[in-house]
Amino acid sequence: MATLMIDSLTNHSPLDGTNTPILGAAVDLNPQIIAKVLDGTVQTDLATDAAIDARFTQSRGALRLINLDNAAGAIGDALIIEWNPADNGQMTDNSSGVGVVFKMPDASDNQDIFARIAAICLDDTATAEDGELSFQVMLAGTVTEIMTVGSLDVQVGGGYGSTGVTVSTAGVIQANGAITSDGAV
């Protein structure tokens, strides 16, 4: 398992080949690296080694992102999920994106995807980009898209066959089935 701290440090175990202890600047190097990783002034890339595991319990979270800037009318981007293709190629419209997966054990203790939220590239044309959020859940053993939020509408129920609802930004509601209400429609 890759670890943020240990894998960021210089391994001094080989010493200098003479079994002479490492002194001076070499001794001070690792505490400086730890401090830089902790304060966010150095980037740590472990993607080539493995995923970084952060364990949590019901009473203790694994990761907390805190914005300590002064209160203001702005939204702080606490988490950025970015895809920057190594081949510098373009994404495939309507099928490329990034997301968050929620896994849990099934009855056989297999870790299965029970839900996914994905940001999908609908059109990657420069200055005319379009995207949508796709909400997917496990439905009868298959991860199924049940709602999308796009720039022009919200579609609900795509995973349930012919029934579904579309609400457009123009205020139009379209349904492929009966619409019921507990009040006025």
Side-chain angles (χ1 to χ4, degrees):
M1 175 178 73
T3 62
L4 181 64
M5 291 301 146
I6 292 174
D7 292 344
S8 298
L9 303 179
T10 303
N11 182 359
H12 290 304
S13 62
L15 303 175
D16 62 1
T18 65
N19 289 329
T20 304
I22 296 175
L23 304 171
V27 172
D28 296 334
L29 180 62
N30 282 336
Q32 291 297 321
I33 292 173
I34 292 172
K36 288 179 180 180
V37 168
L38 290 175
D39 71 13
T41 59
V42 68
Q43 293 182 5
T44 302
D45 183 2
L46 302 176
T48 57
D49 294 334
I52 298 173
D53 292 333
R55 296 180 182 211
F56 67 96
T57 66
Q58 282 81 359
S59 61
R60 181 182 52 85
L63 179 63
R64 184 171 73 162
L65 307 172
I66 301 173
N67 183 345
L68 297 176
D69 290 345
N70 292 331
I75 298 172
D77 295 330
L79 179 63
I80 298 172
I81 301 172
E82 182 175 324
W83 178 20
N84 188 2
D87 62 1
N88 292 320
Q90 291 185 316
M91 293 186 289
T92 304
D93 290 352
N94 211 23
S95 65
S96 295
V98 295
V100 178
V101 169
F102 301 89
K103 284 186 165 185
M104 294 181 283
D106 63 12
S108 300
D109 209 26
N110 298 312
Q111 286 291 318
D112 290 334
I113 297 173
F114 275 77
R116 174 187 295 132
I117 301 171
I120 306 293
C121 166
L122 296 179
D123 182 353
D124 68 347
T125 304
T127 71
E129 299 90 341
D130 290 320
E132 74 179 11
L133 280 177
S134 170
F135 295 85
Q136 305 160 16
V137 297
M138 181 71 77
L139 176 65
T142 302
V143 177
T144 305
E145 184 173 80
I146 53 102
M147 183 172 79
T148 61
V149 178
S151 59
L152 298 177
D153 60 23
V154 175
Q155 296 183 10
V156 180
Y160 295 97
S162 61
T163 61
V165 176
T166 300
V167 180
S168 74
T169 56
V172 176
I173 299 175
Q174 297 173 313
N176 295 328
I179 296 178
T180 59
S181 170
D182 290 336
V185 177

